[in-house]
Every structure is written in C-alpha cells, then in structure tokens.
Amino acid sequence: MSARAGIVVTGTEVLTGRVQDRNGPWLADRLLELGVDLAHITLCGDRPADIDAQLRFLAGQDLDLIITSGGLGPTADDMTVERVARFCGRELVLDTALEARINDIVTGLMARFPGVDAAAVRDANRKQALVPAGATVLDPVGTAPGVVVPGTPEVGPTIVVLPGPPRELQPMWSAAVATDAVRAAIAGRTEFRQETVRMFGLPESGLADTLRDAERDVTGFDRLEITTCLRRGELEIVTRFEPQDAAAYSELLAVLRDRHGREIYSEDGSSVDEQVAGLLTGRRLAVAESCTAGLLTARLTDRPGSSAYVAGGVAAYSNGAKTELLGVASGLIERFGAVSEPVAEAMAAGALQRFGADTAVAITGIAGPGGGTEDKPVGTVCFTVALAEDGSSARMLTRTSVLPGGRSDVRERSTTVAMHMLRRALLGEG
Amino acid sequence: MSARAGIVVTGTEVLTGRVQDRNGPWLADRLLELGVDLAHITLCGDRPADIDAQLRFLAGQDLDLIITSGGLGPTADDMTVERVARFCGRELVLDTALEARINDIVTGLMARFPGVDAAAVRDANRKQALVPAGATVLDPVGTAPGVVVPGTPEVGPTIVVLPGPPRELQPMWSAAVATDAVRAAIAGRTEFRQETVRMFGLPESGLADTLRDAERDVTGFDRLEITTCLRRGELEIVTRFEPQDAAAYSELLAVLRDRHGREIYSEDGSSVDEQVAGLLTGRRLAVAESCTAGLLTARLTDRPGSSAYVAGGVAAYSNGAKTELLGVASGLIERFGAVSEPVAEAMAAGALQRFGADTAVAITGIAGPGGGTEDKPVGTVCFTVALAEDGSSARMLTRTSVLPGGRSDVRERSTTVAMHMLRRALLGEG
C-alpha cells in the first residue's frame, strides 16, 4: 500500500477558471514519480470557510500528505498559512530572520518602483514572515516562503504549503520533499519505475491497435500501467511498473520498436527540442517564418545557450517582407502563391544567405481562420529544411502538410512538424 | 445570499493531469452567468470510495446544486450514475425507452467498425440506460445520457450528472438548467455583477496598501468580494458584488483611479493585446527582437486578422544579423554593446525602413542564464517604440528595465513591457 496524498488549490481566479491551474497536474506528476497515490484535488476560492472545509475533508480521507498551493501573497485575500496554522492548532510566530530575508528581496524589487512607499510595502510583507509554530520554512523563490507542518495523530497528515505561481512552487517542492516531515509522511511508499516513449507521425488509433496485440502477446502486460497521450501533435506513452516487472516492459518496448520504429524518436524521455539542440551543435541556424511569425524562432531560442547555434529569423508576414528581407522573387509568389513549396524553398535559401547560415528552416502556410481556398484549405503548410554542405549548393528537404485545428493549433503544430523535419535532416534520415 | 454550487470532476486521466480538465472552468463561467456562487471543485479518479467521499463532502457544504462530470461510459471504470444513485438512496431502474435510443445510436456507430461484436457492445451500453428512480434523464449527445436527481431535505442538494467529453457536456448543461429540479435548486439565487480592472507597472504589495486604505474609507467595502492576481507582469483586480452595492464599487474604483491612474489600463476587462490590436488599425508594424527572438512577433500575430497591420519581424539573435538584416552599424554595437539604448533605437529604425513600416518595436536584452555583467545584469532589457509621422523622421520612445525571474520569465515579461509601451505610444501618452 503506497502513501496517499491530496492537493488543495486555492485562489478565486483558479476556481472561476480565469487562470488555469497548472500546479495540480504538475504536483500529480511529482507524486507519481515518488510512488505516492494521489486521491483528491480540491479547488476553492480565497474564503476562509471554504479552505477550512477542504482541509477538514482531506484530513478525514486517510491521507499521509496534503499539499496546498496559492494564497501566500501580501494582500488580505492571501490567507493559506493562517488557515493551515489554525487547522493544525498551531500559533503563528514571527520568524525575524525570515522577515529580514523578505525585506531584502522586497527592497531590491522596490528599486524599480520609485513612487511606492517602501515602508508600507514592508509592513504588507511582514505577514509573509508569520510561520506556524514547529513548522519548517521553505525559502522563498519569489517573496513568499512556504511551510511544512508535520503531521500528528490528532490533526492527521503532514501539510506542505506552497505559493501559487508555478515558477515559485516548482523549485520549492524539491525543498519540501527533502524535509524530515515529508520524508516521514511518505515513508510507506512503494517504489515505481516510469518510462516514456515518444513518437511522431502515428495516429492514436494505430497505437491502440498495437497495444491490443501487446495485451495478448506480452507476458505480464496487465502489471504495466500504460497511459497514452496525444500532445502537441506527438504521441507519448508513459508506462509505470514495479521493478520486478521490468521484463514485461522490455517486451512491450520490443513490440513498439518492431511496429513503429520510424515513428519512435525518444525512449529516454528526451524531447525533440533537446535532440535538435544537440544536433545543431557547431552549426549556424536561420529561420524564415510566415504563418508561424516568430513562433519557431522563439521555441528554438527558449533553451539557454541557443545563441551558440541560432543566428536569428525573419517573420515575413507580408509578401513585401518575403521579397525585401529574404530575397524571394516576387514573380515566384505571383506564379505559385505565397503558400507553396517553391516559395518555402526560396525563403530557406534567403535565410541561409542573409544570415550567413549553414542550416535553415522555412514555414509558409494558412493558419486561418480566413485565407483558405479549395486547393489550399486552412491548415495547408509548406516546410523546407536547407542544409549547406562545404560551400556547395544547399540540400533541400521540402514537404506540404494539411494540419488540423484552429489558428493556434495550426501555428503550434507547424513548429512541431518543423522540429521533426529538422531532426531527421540533421540525422541524415531525410 | 445566492445559491451555492459544487462541481465533482471524475476520471483518473484528469486527476493525474494527463488530460486537462476543461469542464470545471466552463461550468464555473456558466454558474457565474446564472448568479450561482461556486464554492468548490473537486477532482478524483475512477474509484468508488473517492467519488463517494467527495459527494459526502459537498453535500455537507450547504450547497443547492452539485454537478458531476465524467464516468458515464460503458466500461467498468465508469460508475458515476451508480454512485450518485446509491448516495441519494435511490434504486437504479432500467429505462427501456432510453435503452432503445442508445441501441439506435450505437448500432449507427458500429457500422464504421465491422470487426466489433455488436451484441456485446449493446450489452455494455445497457448499463447506460439505468437511471436513479425519480431522476430526469438528459438526452445523450454522444451515447451517454445524463441525469438530474432532485434534492431532498434528507440527502441535500440537487445533483446534475453529466458526461466527461466537453462537446457532450456543454449542450447537455443547457438541458439540465431547464429542468424543474435545477430551476428549483437555484431559485434562491442573487444576481451578481463582476468588474475587472487591469494595471501595469505596480507591484502587488503597492496595491495591497491601497486596498487597506480603501477598506477604511470606502462605505460598504466589506460587501465587495475582491480578488487580485498577478499575471504576465500585470495586476488584475476582479470585484464581485450584488447590484445594490454598485456605489461601493464606484467608490473603490475612484480610489484606484486616484492612486494608480497611470497604471490602470483597462476597466472593461479588455486585455492589452486587444487594445494594441485596435490602436494598430490602419498602421503597419514591424518588430525587431534580440533576446525575445520571435516571441513578440508571435504574440502580435496570434490574433486572427493581424496580417492587416503586422508586416513582419526580424529575430536578430547574433550581432551579424543585427547589422545585415536591420542595418545596425557595427560600430554602434562595439561602442555601446548589443544590449544598449542606441542599439535598440537603431534596430527600430532598421525595422521601419526594411519593412516599409510606420510603427516599429525593438527589444534587445540579456535573458540569461549567462551573459550578465555588473553593469548589465541578467534581466536588463532595452526597448524602443518608433512611430514615423508623415514621412518625417520617426519619434522614438526608449527605456531600459531590469526584469526579474529566469530566462523564460524575462523573455515573456519583455513582450508584456513592449505591448504596454506600444499602447502608450499609440495613445500619445509617451
């Protein structure tokens, strides 16, 4: 029997759907990795009675761990630490060292807002230095510290209190897991292994078919917990199993490789972005985008260190820009249309030349909602990858796809198609 | 006092975050429109004990209405109707007319899958025609009917049971709202108004300070439900109140305007992206980006119809690209550095000229994690907005900010700063 956990997500903006909760799913993944069984997620607004009710509910569900997110800011609607302290019957104590640390952080931030009364701001932030007696403080990543309140037989589970912004919550979760209180709470867990296979270019129903055959042929298939997920146009297969069932997973993997060798691009959890970054080492990439208008360049430069291999990109949204900035002959656009393979190739050639690059990607397509025709419906996108070898003329790989979905889907999916074309071209797989 | 509701979202794939729940937020919006106060959303997996626990919890929270989503399919892990019937102490009764309707739907679907045993499928689907005694059936949109179980003094709230797929749930919700049981349950509702104010350039703690003063000075402040949220570098203040408290909201708004007139950019819920799109009508915009490398261009072209005013952009990641594609003098980069106000201005001027545009934005900065110096730490970003008026030389607005956070934060936040600079420049506010 593994340890059991519940998550309380607070915040009226999350409850009402104005802000999408990203912490529940992220924490769910972390608990899965730890082999902790997640039983409940509850969401409520910034109201004391509703927060109290959810804590009471979860404490009665035979859980080892409760994690809360949100409500740690300086405003009056931030009240999670106070409610948790009250629930656990612990007094709030001012942690003066913590107060000094928050003051330092806030004073630094205030330098950018000269009109604001720094003393009043420090008062507002003092509240964030109040800690339940006996709790462990988690150092703030923003200005808000978290706390871990150890479980007791009377109150129930250990409670981890984390801030709402994901970029603060995520690093603080690692600190929380390292505390004695959390380690003790989840000590009864079963160890699990989790493996991820990623594919591109296979429909979900094709995989379903393969998995049905695997169910018949793989010994111990029923002890593998397999979940499949279609994400960003890629298929992800996550398998969770106890270490003694590793042989069953190996058999499953062999079936997948046998049937879908070309579509599998990752067996170690690596993303296509990571793989492309590695393959671009020592190269110099330029991007030419029309319908995606910067999205692929932004994706490629999202990685630290990408300036070593990304020279830049042109978002040539108008035909004039294609001609002026990428040297696409206007006659080519007139003859074949802006969304055409010859124009994609000319854009890639222009990007190579203008940026002095040896590798280029070009995308031109119709993202919609308008602009589609019978010949070229919305979702039609032409891609070219160009690789210049040893000063000779470039090798060009070009394809056209019709991508499903609305405007953002087509734009987003186009970047994924381009990443996979780039990966295969750089691997010499065409 | 308005009617109160809770939502139970079932499904292991939703609880574990593999599939994002879209029903909770959608139902939250519908409840808001009806003036029904949403108190709790709870998520659990396909386990009878956990579903029962959530129903028990919500029934004890003084609610008028519980809505469930998911768990209405034919397989063994679909059990919501059965759990709800048991919870309400009602027998499950086979609705033979409903069974016939489901059979018709399923027979039609099976035509596309010739290999499947239709009789077995029909048996599996019979389960979906079992209805709690006294409940109202909601016609299926897919194959799964929903039910409305009227509330009773013993059990508590009225329970609406809906399927998981949003495209089935959404039309069935309208049918649910039209039933006598739901109308009676929410009859006690109060109408609410909701107003949104958005600000840029104020820290959250500065707002906390103002709200504390407003609490003292605004008559009826305690009847305003105020939530504040920091998002994408902006502050959002959402206030919910009953119509008779509109005067209190007006007083609050007057205080906010008085203290933060310059920071408030929206009082009608509009986003900066919507406002900038409106202000760009009839203009021609070009973007020059270094550290954000396409992110701002992608954000501006996210809106349908943006090709009417966006000419394009250059992601000039390398110094060579700044010179070659934007005409930035290499001497300028050597003298002031690539991240400097003179280079930002030269990038904007180059974008105007190369794209034949009348409006340009340029961003050059250090997103990190490397590249920072003592003078220019990570997060230092220079912005220029250039407006060309009547063929004369362009008006330039330039500023430098040091933005907090990691690489993605700095990049993302830079696009928000640029949007606000663009907005103010186009409004002639400098």
Side-chain angles (χ1 to χ4, degrees), chain A residues 18 41 43 54 301 313 315 407, chain B residues 40-41 43 231 301 313 315 407:
Chain A
R18 275 183 286 120
I41 298 180
L43 289 80
Q54 296 195 346
T301 55
R407 182 177 175 83
Chain B
H40 301 276
I41 298 178
L43 289 82
R231 183 159 61 173
T301 54
R407 181 176 177 84

Side-chain angles (χ1 to χ4, degrees), chain B residues 12-259:
Chain B
T12 301
E13 72 288 359
V14 176
L15 177 71
T16 57
R18 275 181 286 119
V19 169
Q20 185 197 323
D21 171 45
R22 287 164 52 200
N23 294 331
W26 189 87
L27 289 168
D29 275 349
R30 298 297 80 71
L31 292 169
L32 183 74
E33 287 165 6
L34 290 171
V36 176
D37 184 26
L38 172 61
H40 301 276
I41 298 178
T42 64
L43 289 82
C44 66
D46 302 309
R47 291 178 181 163
D50 293 343
I51 298 175
D52 294 353
Q54 296 196 346
L55 291 172
R56 263 198 313 278
F57 165 58
L58 290 179
Q61 296 305 308
D62 192 24
L63 304 181
D64 304 285
L65 189 65
I66 296 175
I67 306 158
T68 74
S69 92
L72 303 193
T75 55
D77 57 357
D78 294 306
M79 63 189 77
T80 308
V81 172
E82 184 201 333
R83 298 327 301 174
V84 167
R86 201 178 281 242
F87 180 72
C88 297
R90 294 175 188 249
E91 273 190 79
L92 282 176
V93 182
L94 181 67
D95 182 329
T96 49
L98 183 60
E99 187 188 11
R101 200 145 69 242
I102 297 172
N103 277 353
D104 285 351
I105 298 170
V106 170
T107 308
L109 288 176
M110 280 311 101
R112 288 191 291 130
F113 299 98
V116 177
D117 177 352
V121 169
R122 275 199 298 275
D123 282 350
N125 282 277
R126 173 162 307 154
K127 185 183 104 174
Q128 299 178 293
L130 292 170
V131 175
T136 307
V137 172
L138 303 170
D139 268 352
V141 169
T143 66
V147 293
V148 178
V149 185
T152 60
E154 302 77 47
V155 174
T158 292
I159 305 182
V160 176
V161 180
L162 298 172
R167 65 167 200 89
E168 297 183 25
L169 174 138
Q170 296 179 7
M172 288 169 71
W173 169 245
S174 315
V177 172
T179 60
D180 290 342
V182 172
R183 290 155 80 101
I186 65 177
R189 73 195 189 217
T190 312
E191 193 197 334
F192 273 92
R193 278 182 53 194
Q194 180 172 308
E195 298 287 345
T196 302
V197 169
R198 294 204 167 93
M199 301 191 189
F200 178 72
L202 184 75
E204 198 175 12
S205 46
L207 177 64
D209 204 31
T210 300
L211 289 179
R212 260 193 305 279
D213 291 354
E215 186 169 4
R216 191 188 57 215
D217 299 337
V218 171
T219 319
F221 182 89
D222 58 339
R223 292 192 302 278
L224 303 175
E225 188 179 319
I226 301 171
T227 59
T228 64
C229 172
L230 192 63
R231 183 159 61 173
R232 276 188 145 187
E234 302 176 341
L235 264 181
E236 188 179 81
I237 304 120
V238 177
T239 309
R240 194 162 172 263
F241 51 94
E242 297 185 27
Q244 69 262 31
D245 295 317
Y249 181 70
S250 299
E251 268 192 65
L252 170 67
L253 187 57
V255 171
L256 292 174
R257 282 178 182 157
D258 180 51
R259 298 276 192 95

Side-chain angles (χ1 to χ4, degrees), chain A residues 26 30 60 86 100 109 113 119 173 198 215 218 255 403 427:
Chain A
W26 189 86
R30 298 297 81 68
R86 202 177 280 239
L109 288 177
F113 298 99
W173 168 247
R198 295 205 167 91
E215 186 170 4
V218 170
V255 171
L403 303 174
L427 284 170

